[in-house]
Amino acid sequence: MADEVVLLDFWPSMFGMRVRIALAEKGIEYEYKEEDLGNKSPLLLQMNPIHKKIPVLIHNGKPVCESLIIVQYIDEVWKDRSPLLPTDPYQRAHARFWADYVDKKVYEVSRKIWTSKGEEKEAGKKEFFEIFKTLEGELGDKPYFGAETFGFVDLSLIPFYSWFYAIETFGEFNMEAECPKIVAWAKRYLQKETVAKTLPDQKKVYEFVGQMRKRFGLE
Amino acid sequence: MAEEVLVFGAWGSPFSRRVEMALKLKGIEYKYIEEDITNKSPSLLKYNPVHKKIPVLVHNGKPVAESLVILEYIDETWKDSPILSKDPYERANARFWAKFIDEKCLSAIFKACWGEEKEHEKALEEASELLQFLENELKEKRYFGGETVGLLDIAANIIGYWLGVFEEASGVELMTREKFPKLCNWANEFVSVSAIKENLPPREKLIAYFRNRFGVGTASK
């Protein structure tokens, strides 16, 4: 039976991008469905009734939700090519730990920066630099976070690259100056076709964030 | 080489108890180290410098942190008595609900028990809604894992035991047999499993701890 793979997504979503990269890495054909988050489709509400969020992967009619869970699912189903996680249990645990760290910390703090002003924004920036310093510490002198090649942690973090321009502009700082290792890592990873083709243009994301800020009354 | 397994935990924490439950289910011997979370040991800070939290599993000197990450590590390292299905869809499902419990349920339950009075009704409703999802997910199964205790059952230890403790400590009724018959049955089955029973903190001590820490609950005011 031919596999039917559908992805419910929203183009600027960092979480959706993770899934798109994973699907591209594995060479899986799928139908992409853009969701209007202000007017969620009946399909989305049916497939993710708990959180009502994207991304949702629908594989032969069955939904999988939560981006890192979807990526692991993809890795386990299409296990014959391009592994996304290492095989050794300790390395897998290490990868899951750091992907979980990215999940828990990076999105929230980034959001703080582009949705706030004044003191709150400055506090957000301070936290942001601390978190990225921790990530740079974990990266060390390695070319990527993964054990042998770009892996699970790299995949979990790289979508934020498309948001860097927006965050540094609205945050009034320079990403390359503050987090040089991360920027170098991102540029290295972007040489991969699957990543370069998947990530949206930074300027487009910047415009999108600008529109969101207007809606929140920040502009 | 002899295996050395250490668990850094706290007696009342459902998170560190999860790790012990999984090890017990698989018959793995380990050394338990009780942490005073108000005065963290140099070892804990060395093994989990990022979050500085328990639980941490240290296997032959190598640390693993975050309870759900630890559970998967345990399952992949000691393959007897598996706690996750081999089927990718069922695995994704278990992971989804475990994350749901950690990210949504715990804080909602806390709010319902010890939140602000004016928000009490709303908090109760929200917590009930979340429990209803779990009630529906259980269906006719004995355990979330099917015939045997699985990762999701272990992750749901908060629901299976700690929730009852919170209810008694705060005086708030949340998981009634009337509204949640399946979850109540499951909870009874869960705490009866010997590997689980052996790893539950003493109930009275836990109730006293929470009463002390959070005061008398919203409902009792």
Side-chain angles (χ1 to χ4, degrees), chain A:
Chain A
M1 182 184 81
D3 271 318
E4 193 204 46
V5 182
V6 177
L7 176 63
L8 305 183
D9 202 350
F10 178 54
W11 72 267
S13 162
M14 302 180 226
F15 305 101
M17 287 176 218
R18 290 167 171 174
V19 180
R20 287 175 242 159
I21 294 172
L23 290 166
E25 280 292 311
K26 299 272 187 181
I28 298 163
E29 291 204 8
Y30 64 100
E31 187 191 344
Y32 178 92
K33 284 195 160 142
E34 183 75 19
E35 281 285 330
D36 173 2
L37 299 185
N39 184 19
K40 294 174 182 178
S41 73
L43 182 62
L44 175 58
L45 300 178
Q46 179 201 8
M47 291 289 153
N48 191 357
I50 315 298
H51 301 300
K52 306 177 177 51
K53 285 181 171 180
I54 55 91
V56 180
L57 188 83
I58 311 173
H59 184 205
N60 296 332
K62 300 205 299 194
V64 186
C65 307
E66 297 297 298
S67 63
L68 293 182
I69 292 175
I70 299 173
V71 170
Q72 288 184 84
Y73 174 81
I74 289 169
D75 201 40
E76 289 171 12
V77 171
W78 290 277
K79 55 180 186 251
D80 53 339
R81 59 196 115 143
S82 307
L84 303 172
L85 273 110
T87 43
D88 171 71
Y90 188 75
Q91 286 176 6
R92 288 164 74 84
H94 194 81
R96 285 181 176 129
F97 174 87
W98 283 102
D100 174 70
Y101 179 85
V102 172
D103 245 12
K104 281 189 167 95
K105 301 275 186 183
V106 180
Y107 178 71
E108 271 312 308
V109 79
S110 305
R111 200 186 144 82
K112 231 186 238 181
I113 293 176
W114 66 264
T115 57
S116 62
K117 320 193 264 216
E119 252 179 60
E120 216 190 312
K121 182 164 115 175
E122 290 307 306
K125 277 163 73 173
K126 188 163 174 259
E127 215 189 311
F128 182 92
F129 298 144
E130 270 167 28
I131 288 166
F132 272 86
K133 190 157 169 248
T134 303
L135 286 168
E136 287 198 328
E138 169 55 21
L139 183 61
D141 292 318
K142 304 195 301 278
Y144 26 69
F145 288 92
E148 282 127 44
T149 177
F150 293 112
F152 195 54
V153 182
D154 302 89
L155 194 153
S156 71
L157 185 60
I158 196 67
F160 292 90
Y161 178 79
S162 63
W163 280 65
F164 280 175
Y165 180 70
I167 293 166
E168 69 184 349
T169 308
F170 293 122
E172 294 170 296
F173 65 91
N174 181 274
M175 218 29 223
E176 194 149 8
E178 298 289 341
C179 318
K181 273 191 177 169
I182 291 291
V183 174
W185 158 83
K187 290 188 171 157
R188 213 175 291 131
Y189 198 4
L190 251 98
Q191 287 168 19
K192 261 195 150 235
E193 205 189 336
T194 47
V195 176
K197 274 189 165 174
T198 303
L199 294 193
D201 180 65
Q202 286 191 330
K203 293 275 162 69
K204 264 189 91 182
V205 174
Y206 168 74
E207 277 162 26
F208 164 74
V209 178
Q211 282 166 20
M212 294 292 287
R213 278 167 60 89
K214 280 204 185 87
R215 278 173 57 185
F216 291 154
L218 286 155
E219 299 272 346

Side-chain angles (χ1 to χ4, degrees), chain A residues 63 66 76 90 92 104, chain B residues 63 66 76 89 91 95 99:
Chain A
E66 297 297 298
E76 289 171 12
Y90 188 75
R92 288 164 74 84
K104 281 189 167 95
Chain B
E66 291 300 298
E76 290 174 4
Y89 191 76
R91 292 161 72 87
R95 287 168 179 147
K99 191 168 190 236

Side-chain angles (χ1 to χ4, degrees), chain B residues 5 54 130 142 150:
Chain B
V5 182
I54 54 93
L130 299 178
R142 186 172 180 199

